[in-house]
Amino acid sequence: IEAKAQAAVNGGDVDSALEVVAKIPDAFAGVLTDRADALATKLRGSAESKISAALKEAEEAATRAEPQAGLDALATVESIRYASRADNVKAMKQRLTEELTNVADLKRRKVILAARTKLNEHLVKFEKALLDDRNLALAQSLAEEAAKDATLAPIENEAKALADIVAAHEDFNA
C-alpha cells in the first residue's frame, strides 16, 4: 500500500495516493488502519505545505504587482493533483494571468506602489516633526518637499494633503 501510494505521489498524484491508502482490505483493516491514517495525514500535510507555500509566494508576487513571479511560483505545484486545493491554485493562476495581460495597469500599479512607499517615508518624518517635536516650521518644510517630489506625482493629492494638515494645524492653534 505504501509503495503504491508513494509511486502515485512521485507522479504528482496525491489524490490517487490517498485513494490507495483509503482502500485497506477488510482482512487487514485492524492492523493497517492506524498506519494508513498516519500515511494519509502525512500525504495531505505534504501537499498542503507545498501548495500553501506556492500560493503564499504567488499572493506576495501579486501584491508587488509581479504576476509572472506568481505564475512561476504556482508552476512548481501545478503538477500536483490534489483536489482539496486545486480550486485555490486555479483561481490564483487565473487572477495572475489576467493581471499579466493588463500590462499598462500593472505598470501604473507599480508606480503607485513606489509612490506610496516614498510618501510613507515623508509621512514618518512629517509626523515626527509635527507631533513628536512640535516643530511646525519643519513640518511645513517637509510638506513642501513632499509636494515637490516628482516620484509622488501619481498620488499628488495625497502628498499635498500634508500641507493641508499644516494649514489646519495653524488654523486650530491661531
Side-chain angles (χ1 to χ4, degrees):
I1 292 176
E2 286 183 40
K4 285 182 180 179
Q6 190 60 50
V9 168
N10 291 343
D13 193 350
V14 176
D15 289 335
S16 291
L18 291 170
E19 287 175 21
V20 167
V21 172
K23 293 180 182 177
I24 301 172
D26 291 339
F28 300 108
V31 177
L32 297 178
T33 300
D34 289 342
R35 280 182 62 189
D37 289 347
L39 180 57
T41 299
K42 180 181 170 185
L43 293 172
R44 283 186 198 96
S46 177
E48 287 284 340
S49 175
K50 290 174 185 174
I51 293 170
S52 292
L55 286 168
K56 181 180 179 191
E57 189 176 336
E59 183 62 44
E60 289 170 356
T63 301
R64 295 188 312 267
E66 297 175 355
Q68 186 58 56
L71 289 169
D72 292 345
L74 292 179
T76 65
V77 296
E78 271 187 312
S79 64
I80 298 174
R81 188 172 155 247
Y82 184 56
S84 293
R85 297 303 297 269
D87 287 343
N88 301 112
V89 173
K90 182 180 177 182
M92 179 59 79
K93 183 177 180 181
Q94 182 178 353
R95 174 181 157 198
L96 292 170
T97 301
E98 289 171 2
E99 286 184 17
L100 189 60
T101 59
N102 195 348
V103 175
D105 183 52
L106 176 65
K107 287 180 181 177
R108 182 187 62 76
R109 285 176 45 207
K110 278 187 160 184
V111 168
I112 289 173
L113 180 63
R116 288 222 164 95
T117 300
K118 183 70 174 176
L119 179 60
N120 191 51
E121 293 172 14
H122 285 284
L123 285 172
V124 168
K125 294 176 193 174
F126 179 80
E127 183 179 290
K128 182 178 183 324
L130 187 63
L131 301 178
D132 295 342
D133 300 340
R134 304 214 182 271
N135 186 338
L136 191 59
L138 178 57
Q140 178 66 39
S141 171
L142 291 168
E144 290 169 3
E145 180 183 317
K148 293 176 187 174
D149 189 333
T151 60
L152 300 180
I155 55 170
E156 68 181 310
N157 289 338
E158 293 174 42
K160 289 180 179 177
L162 298 179
D164 295 340
I165 293 170
V166 171
H169 191 276
E170 288 174 335
D171 289 346
F172 182 74
N173 290 325

